[in-house]
Amino acid sequence: MELRRAQRVKGVVVVPPDKSISHRALFFSSIASAPSEIRNVLDADDVKRTLNLLKLCGTEFEGDLKKLVVKPRPFREPSKPIYCGNSGTTARIGMGLLASRDGCFTLYGDKSLSRRPMLRVVKPLREMGATVLGREGGALLPIAIRGGDLKGIEYESPVASAQVKSAFILASLFASGKSVYREPWKSRDHTERMLKAMGARLTEKNGSIEIEPTDELSPLKLEVPGDFSSAAFFITLGVIHGKGDIVIENVNLNPTRTGLLRVLERMGANVEVNLKGEELEPIGSIRVSSSKLVGTVVSPEEAPQMIDEIPLVALLGAFAEGETVVRGAGELRVKESDRIASLVLELRKMGVDIEELEDGFLVRGGKGLHSAKDLNSHGDHRIAMLLSIASLCVEDEGASRIKGANWVKISFPSFFDILGELAR
Ligand code: S3P
């Protein structure tokens, strides 16, 4: 993909449906007591992996992703291994769900997913009584699970991860006895919201979650809102571009996802948030425009609530006066790529003064960006999108070239069409 500096970036954007909520709506409705209706499911590779997993296990679907009816059926053992592609959410939440079913299930993934840590999910599932076998003692895919008779446990997760939390909660709903889950910092809470709406008994107390076993989950009727993590690319673009004015409509504003908005406020960005309603999740619109930014420090506590947006902080920092520092974001090293290493390497090619830290980075801002011909997405959708918006904000007339830009298909297949409209 070749991109050049945009004269201006202006317009109204509707971002694709939320990826996290789409996965969850599919997983949870597959075990409800009656058919669910889910509107506006994300049409992107990752969510198709979850759909495929459920189809292989017997769940039936009617309609299309605009309006999908999910018909729960007793889970059956697929005759072949289940391919999770690039999708950590499919593999990890899938393991929690499959551990609660009778049968043996094998999961595998692409090159990137086969490198990502799974023991964080496998360990609590084993403690509950599931048999889990995998490479390196169950740390890596492919992994085979035989679940069934699970018992409730108390578990303290060493990482703040919504995928681990969701897998644990799902397994606990079908265990004998109560379970308790704790995490170091609060991660996104879509699972808790959705399962409570389905009648699950989850109680949050002093930072821990108590999960009572359930006999039945009621079906869902849900419209998936726009994905804040996709919106974040246009929020950043509108703020850093000298002639930016972008409105994003119908986007999820769950506070456990919008840490970036709090960081932007400290940086002095022009951001207006308009809350339009709240059913399961708060939804609204966001307007951003060109801003004069100052550097900031992102703390470890903030990281989980903006984990997928942290790479954008590096770019914001490059346009800010002074230093911007991110710490406590070591989880970025085990995403679709090692995002700390990828973003430092690539943004340096564009002239950004950035230093790699073990669990984050430090940017000395205000020096301007130049185009680069040898940019690489590292097979990571969010790095591809980060480099694309950076390429629109360079000082020179040259074209930037990004290898592996088509990875945007993982979460945002229409990304370049929307970017093109904004830059017209
Ligand atoms: C997700 C949780 C986060 C996030 C990922 C989606 C989810 O991962 O990075 O894109 O849907 O639960 P972790 O749970 O590993 O932090």
Side-chain angles (χ1 to χ4, degrees):
M1 180 62 68
E2 270 200 7
L3 300 113
R4 286 174 195 275
R5 183 170 67 142
Q7 293 310 318
R8 64 186 171 285
V9 284
K10 280 200 168 131
V12 180
V13 172
V14 178
V15 287
D18 190 86
K19 182 156 83 71
S20 290
I21 296 175
S22 296
H23 281 294
R24 285 160 174 76
L26 296 174
F27 274 130
F28 304 168
S29 56
S30 78
I31 50 169
S33 57
S36 292
E37 186 186 296
I38 309 163
R39 289 174 186 260
N40 204 31
V41 176
L42 173 63
D43 187 358
D45 278 13
D46 268 19
V47 174
K48 286 183 194 149
R49 303 300 173 200
T50 290
L51 257 177
N52 181 54
L53 178 151
L54 294 170
K55 278 184 188 160
L56 282 173
C57 294
T59 309
E60 288 174 22
F61 296 91
E62 228 176 66
D64 56 26
L65 296 178
K66 286 266 152 265
K67 184 179 162 188
L68 193 65
V69 177
V70 184
K71 297 181 165 174
R73 297 284 177 258
F75 271 50
R76 57 160 193 248
E77 289 182 333
S79 57
K80 55 181 184 184
I82 303 167
Y83 185 54
C84 302
N86 196 244
S87 177
T89 313
T90 305
R92 298 204 181 105
I93 300 187
M95 279 193 249
L97 176 65
L98 295 172
S100 75
R101 308 289 109 183
D102 282 326
C104 181
F105 306 89
T106 305
L107 306 177
Y108 72 111
D110 71 3
K111 206 165 120 192
S112 151
L113 189 58
S114 304
R115 284 194 295 257
R116 297 179 64 189
M118 296 295 153
L119 211 51
R120 50 183 62 194
V121 180
V122 169
K123 194 167 172 276
L125 293 178
R126 279 180 178 155
E127 278 182 33
M128 296 174 96
T131 302
V132 188
L133 295 174
R135 277 194 303 138
E136 299 196 7
L140 299 173
L141 293 177
I143 279 176
I145 303 188
R146 178 178 285 286
D149 281 333
L150 303 179
K151 61 172 193 296
I153 59 164
E154 285 202 19
Y155 188 72
E156 184 153 350
S157 171
V159 282
S161 157
Q163 293 173 354
V164 176
K165 175 171 67 177
S166 304
F168 183 88
I169 292 175
L170 274 179
S172 301
L173 286 178
F174 302 96
S176 60
K178 189 179 82 178
S179 289
V180 181
Y181 185 82
R182 272 180 223 98
E183 56 183 350
W185 316 107
K186 189 174 165 74
S187 62
R188 64 187 67 184
D189 66 0
H190 305 302
T191 292
E192 294 91 307
R193 287 171 185 255
M194 208 182 283
L195 285 173
K196 276 188 200 165
M198 296 174 82
R201 283 173 300 161
L202 308 179
T203 326
E204 282 150 79
K205 265 192 214 156
N206 310 323
S208 59
I209 308 173
E210 277 187 22
I211 309 124
E212 308 270 358
T214 191
D215 296 327
E216 199 174 90
L217 292 172
S218 42
L220 275 172
K221 195 167 166 62
L222 173 83
E223 174 154 356
V224 182
D227 195 321
F228 183 82
S229 297
S230 297
F233 294 97
F234 304 126
I235 294 174
T236 304
L237 176 63
V239 165
I240 62 174
H241 195 285
K243 286 191 177 145
D245 186 3
I246 300 176
V247 178
I248 302 138
E249 304 268 28
N250 185 36
V251 63
N252 178 258
L253 293 171
N254 180 322
T256 62
R257 290 286 296 280
T258 53
L260 180 72
L261 294 180
R262 300 185 277 279
V263 170
L264 280 167
E265 198 183 328
R266 294 207 295 273
M267 297 182 87
N270 299 321
V271 181
E272 249 174 68
V273 178
N274 192 349
L275 189 68
K276 296 245 166 86
E278 169 148 16
E279 264 182 67
L280 245 189
E281 298 267 348
I283 296 165
S285 65
I286 302 172
R287 179 176 199 148
V288 293
S289 56
S290 314
S291 309
K292 210 169 147 16
L293 302 174
V294 289
T296 190
V297 178
V298 174
S299 68
E301 188 173 352
E302 289 180 297
Q305 310 206 334
M306 53 184 295
I307 192 68
D308 293 335
E309 291 67 64
I310 291 178
L312 289 165
V313 177
L315 187 57
L316 287 161
F319 283 85
E321 204 54 53
E323 283 185 3
T324 296
V325 186
V326 172
R327 299 307 303 255
E331 273 296 298
L332 290 183
R333 295 215 181 263
V334 290
K335 294 294 176 190
E336 286 82 333
S337 71
D338 174 344
R339 284 189 179 150
I340 297 179
S342 315
L343 75 89
V344 168
L345 182 68
E346 300 307 317
L347 289 180
R348 273 190 185 154
K349 292 177 186 169
M350 304 184 86
V352 176
D353 184 351
I354 181 166
E355 225 173 87
E356 181 168 350
L357 306 175
E358 197 191 330
D359 59 349
F361 49 79
L362 182 156
V363 190
R364 291 177 200 90
K367 296 178 185 164
L369 260 62
H370 57 71
S371 59
K373 292 257 182 275
D374 57 344
L375 298 173
N376 193 321
S377 72
H378 298 252
D380 185 330
H381 56 130
R382 299 204 197 277
I383 298 295
M385 293 188 272
L386 168 77
L387 297 174
S388 302
I389 60 164
S391 303
L392 265 51
C393 302
V394 296
E395 289 181 341
D396 58 305
E397 299 287 337
S400 292
R401 204 170 288 151
I402 307 171
K403 198 174 153 199
N406 63 337
W407 279 96
V408 302
K409 69 185 192 301
I410 290 297
S411 63
F412 199 162
S414 59
F415 175 75
F416 288 112
D417 298 333
I418 296 183
L419 202 60
E421 289 288 312
L422 283 175
R424 244 199 335 198

